[in-house]
Amino acid sequence: MKGSGPALLLAHGAGGGIDGNFGLVLDDLARDHTLIGPHYPGAGGSPLATEPLDLDELADQLVASAVAAGQESFVVLGESLGSAVAVRIASRHPERVRALVLTAGFPVADPVLALAAQLIKTLAGAGQWRDMARLACLSCLSPTDLADIAPADLDALVTQTLAGMPPGTVDHFDLVSRVDVRADLGHLSAPTLVVAPTGDRLVLPQSSYRLAAGITGAKLIELPGAAHILNEADRTTWLRHVREFLGTLPAKSA
């Protein structure tokens, strides 16, 4: 837990973590919000799961983390897989969710994401974790960001990416391949901001569009050319839009 003020519950992506997804904006958001950032099993030092991850259980665990931190209601910020977790939280615990921010999200794995999830599981099964890191670099960075990397530095990028992949990555992507929150969308009542990075090559921007179309009153914004992992400039733009959205929410009741 970090900061003070109205609570933000952070739901990270598959094969990531709180710092990996939100690290560039944690200090800024903590100036006037209480940040609660639990990790999924096998990430952030959390023990590996002993059974396949279940979306309902994961959603309930995140809510329990917020309640244990003394926060009875909160805005949920979900990234990638975390967007599906956020949707399920709002579906199962509507009385606690003040609003949703869904970035690079999906209601069900689109064809690109489904193929990537299967490839990740296959590579992991063969012990090819370095190839998984190569796939992550190709899928999660923009062509512009990759073009700025000297060929001699590519191996260092892969090494850095590999070092940041948590042990639970395969479990997370197994859940990605099974997620389906399409039936939840029409029942959501919380104000929702959907952020679509249009250069995303892991989760198609059309998946974000489907989220926005399925949630009554959702506001959709695009980050032109932004990749699945937002670089500093795109994250700064994201932060501006998110702060504007948070500023429209009714004050939290005492």
Side-chain angles (χ1 to χ4, degrees):
M1 192 166 69
K2 180 176 184 177
S4 61
L8 303 180
L9 177 59
L10 309 180
H12 66 77
I18 298 303
D19 284 339
N21 283 153
F22 301 101
L24 292 174
V25 293
L26 289 177
D27 288 342
D28 187 285
L29 290 173
R31 290 189 293 108
D32 47 8
H33 292 85
T34 299
L35 307 184
I36 303 152
H39 282 92
Y40 307 155
S46 298
L48 281 166
T50 56
E51 297 180 354
L53 297 179
D54 178 83
L55 187 62
D56 286 352
E57 291 180 3
L58 198 56
D60 291 350
Q61 288 167 8
L62 264 65
V63 170
S65 295
V67 173
Q71 304 298 326
E72 296 295 328
S73 65
F74 35 77
V75 177
V76 189
L77 276 59
E79 300 251 342
S80 192
L81 172 61
S83 288
V85 176
V87 166
R88 187 55 54 86
I89 287 172
S91 178
R92 290 173 66 81
H93 306 274
E95 74 286 355
R96 296 194 182 278
V97 176
R98 299 180 59 228
L100 297 171
V101 177
L102 312 176
T103 303
F106 54 93
V108 67
D110 58 53
V112 171
L113 181 58
L115 288 170
Q118 183 58 57
L119 184 54
I120 285 169
K121 290 190 284 185
T122 299
L123 290 172
Q128 300 296 320
W129 281 76
R130 194 166 187 84
D131 284 336
M132 287 171 56
R134 293 187 177 98
L135 175 63
C137 292
L138 284 171
S139 302
C140 295
L141 301 180
S142 72
T144 300
D145 290 339
L146 286 170
D148 289 338
I149 299 171
D153 294 331
L154 283 176
D155 199 53
L157 173 65
V158 171
T159 298
Q160 180 182 4
T161 302
L162 180 59
M165 294 174 66
T169 294
V170 178
D171 291 334
H172 301 168
F173 275 95
D174 174 65
L175 179 59
V176 163
S177 69
R178 295 183 281 108
V179 157
D180 190 345
V181 297
R182 288 175 292 184
D184 298 18
L185 302 181
H187 302 291
L188 302 186
S189 58
T192 301
L193 175 66
V194 177
V195 184
T198 66
D200 196 335
R201 298 191 292 179
L202 180 62
V203 177
L204 294 175
Q206 285 79 3
S207 287
S208 287
Y209 303 155
R210 293 186 183 105
L211 279 176
I215 301 172
T216 301
K219 178 181 179 181
L220 172 70
I221 65 164
E222 296 179 326
L223 297 181
H228 190 69
I229 299 296
L230 302 183
N231 62 24
E232 186 171 358
D234 290 324
R235 185 60 81 175
T236 297
T237 303
W238 175 92
L239 179 63
R240 174 171 56 82
H241 286 296
V242 169
R243 280 203 164 277
E244 288 175 358
F245 173 70
L246 294 176
T248 68
L249 301 179
K252 183 179 177 182
S253 300

